[in-house]
Amino acid sequence: MRSRTSAPDLTGRTVLVTGANSGIGLATAADLAALGATVVMTARDVGKGEAARAEVVRRSGNDQVVLGNLDLASLASVRRFAAWFLDEFGELHVLVNNAGLITDERRETTDGFETMFGVNHLGHFLLTDLLRDRLVASAPSRVVVVTSVAHRWVPGGLDRGDLQSTRSFRGAKAYGRSKLANVLFARELARQLVGTGVTVNAVHPGSVNTHFGTDGDTGAMAWWITTFGRYVLRTPEQGARTSVLLASSEELDVAGTTGGYWSHGRRWQPSRAGRDAEAGRWLWAESARLVGLQS
Ligand SMILES: NC(=O)c1ccc[n+]([C@@H]2O[C@H](COP(=O)([O-])OP(=O)(O)OC[C@H]3O[C@@H](n4cnc5c(N)ncnc54)[C@H](OP(=O)(O)O)[C@@H]3O)[C@@H](O)[C@H]2O)c1
């Protein structure tokens, strides 16, 4: 991790973090609040969200922390949340698409999408589109997309004939594809926003000891994480560092960069499938069709 000359001051900036009631999202929200930002944290469960909001205020000493209710497994919820946000907040300087999950059996969202593709990619795709004009109007602004090294687990890329994994499903593969979709989305959005003052970067947070994969979603992974995780994995605060860096650093090599894939405080090459610009454009058009937007 690079050393910072001085902590950036985010006073007057509005930051939105999805999945901020837990793990990396909570730590990201707390760090950005500590830098002075007004932080909007989203949670799908309001009770968990309220407890996390209180924790973020306590850790950061900043009470400009607001909870929004967002279930990324429901396009109606995404639309409701975006309408509420646009009504409540005149500006959006940083959007951190952090929420995500892994499941070991095939499930579907309210709208009938395979859950990991639907939550990790499609819900965030629609959310970002609905907030896009506000990000541009608030420029300089930033989008941080939390992906995973798991995007490398699918060297063959997206399965264009079976995006919803209806013909065959393996949890790790479907998760890897949803995280590859995050990388392709970030790069395509960065390309579309060149010249607007909005930067877009994808982040792998490292292997982090959170609730990820432990909520009855995955059998063997849950056992491994709860048994050994705390000895070998990064803390949520460590996992949040690269997201926070990209969301806040004023250093030129961070603030001026877009379309990157970052981890452990520096830029890396994503997989070959993650660099496939044609796949990015195809995924964009297909995602727009699936969520009911004009591409
Ligand atoms: N932990 C790791 O080692 C690791 C490694 C690589 C990438 N990542 C990525 O890091 C991100 C954060 O994960 P984490 O490790 O912090 O896990 P976590 O502690 O389980 O947090 C995930 C967050 O996403 C939220 N979420 C799940 N489904 C949602 C939905 N339908 N709508 C809205 N929010 C939803 C969760 O809400 P609930 O609490 O209500 O479930 C929670 O707030 C994810 O994108 C994950 O893919 C994690």
Side-chain angles (χ1 to χ4, degrees):
M1 175 65 64
R2 72 194 51 240
S3 63
R4 285 188 198 156
T5 41
S6 64
D9 180 4
L10 298 187
T11 307
R13 315 288 286 169
T14 302
V15 167
L16 170 55
V17 184
T18 68
N21 61 280
S22 172
I24 298 163
L26 194 156
T28 303
D31 281 1
L32 294 173
L35 294 174
T38 295
V39 176
V40 181
M41 310 170 54
T42 82
R44 57 176 164 167
D45 179 308
V46 174
K48 283 191 199 172
E50 286 295 356
R53 195 192 77 82
E55 174 69 12
V56 168
V57 170
R58 191 189 64 73
R59 280 196 211 173
S60 66
N62 177 352
D63 62 4
Q64 300 299 303
V65 182
V66 180
L67 178 67
N69 185 214
L70 170 65
D71 182 356
L72 289 153
S74 157
L75 297 181
S77 172
V78 174
R79 289 185 181 283
R80 260 195 312 275
F81 170 80
W84 169 82
F85 180 90
L86 292 172
D87 221 33
E88 292 287 319
F89 298 92
E91 294 184 296
L92 176 57
H93 301 102
V94 179
L95 169 63
V96 186
N97 287 341
N98 164 83
L101 82 170
I102 185 167
T103 68
D104 63 2
E105 60 182 31
R106 189 179 179 285
R107 298 181 198 160
E108 291 190 351
T109 67
T110 310
D111 307 283
F113 304 122
E114 186 281 315
T115 297
M116 290 179 272
F117 185 74
V119 170
N120 300 354
H121 169 63
L122 276 183
H124 281 121
F125 174 84
L126 177 60
L127 177 69
T128 309
D129 187 85
L130 295 171
L131 301 178
R132 178 176 174 149
D133 289 350
R134 188 61 52 89
L135 282 160
V136 172
S138 310
S141 50
R142 307 177 186 195
V143 179
V144 178
V145 177
V146 181
T147 178
S148 171
V149 71
H151 83 275
R152 298 189 191 282
W153 298 347
V154 285
L158 302 172
D159 183 348
R160 297 191 190 194
D162 191 22
L163 272 186
Q164 309 305 334
S165 307
T166 41
R167 283 203 291 277
S168 89
F169 177 86
R170 274 189 35 227
K173 203 166 207 178
Y175 177 68
R177 287 203 169 116
S178 76
K179 291 285 141 182
L180 173 61
N182 290 158
V183 173
L184 292 170
F185 165 71
R187 288 168 67 91
E188 172 60 14
L189 182 63
R191 189 189 67 77
Q192 293 182 16
L193 291 176
V194 164
T196 63
V198 185
T199 61
V200 188
N201 288 284
V203 170
H204 165 57
S207 297
V208 188
N209 191 14
T210 64
H211 287 127
F212 195 72
T214 61
D215 287 340
D217 297 329
T218 48
M221 181 187 275
W223 176 82
W224 193 90
I225 292 172
T226 49
T227 310
F228 299 115
R230 69 200 144 109
Y231 301 113
V232 294
L233 299 177
R234 310 178 87 206
T235 65
E237 292 69 32
Q238 291 169 328
R241 276 188 197 157
T242 306
S243 292
V244 172
L245 178 82
L246 284 163
S248 65
S249 174
E250 286 148 13
E251 288 175 40
L252 199 59
D253 62 335
V254 178
T257 194
T258 192
Y261 168 72
W262 289 67
S263 185
H264 295 74
R266 55 164 282 214
R267 195 169 170 163
W268 306 77
Q269 280 274 57
S271 67
R272 181 185 290 267
R275 301 195 304 272
D276 183 344
E278 186 276 328
R281 289 193 298 276
W282 179 86
L283 176 67
W284 190 280
E286 186 62 8
S287 302
R289 189 184 71 76
L290 290 170
V291 303
L293 294 173
Q294 302 288 336
S295 62

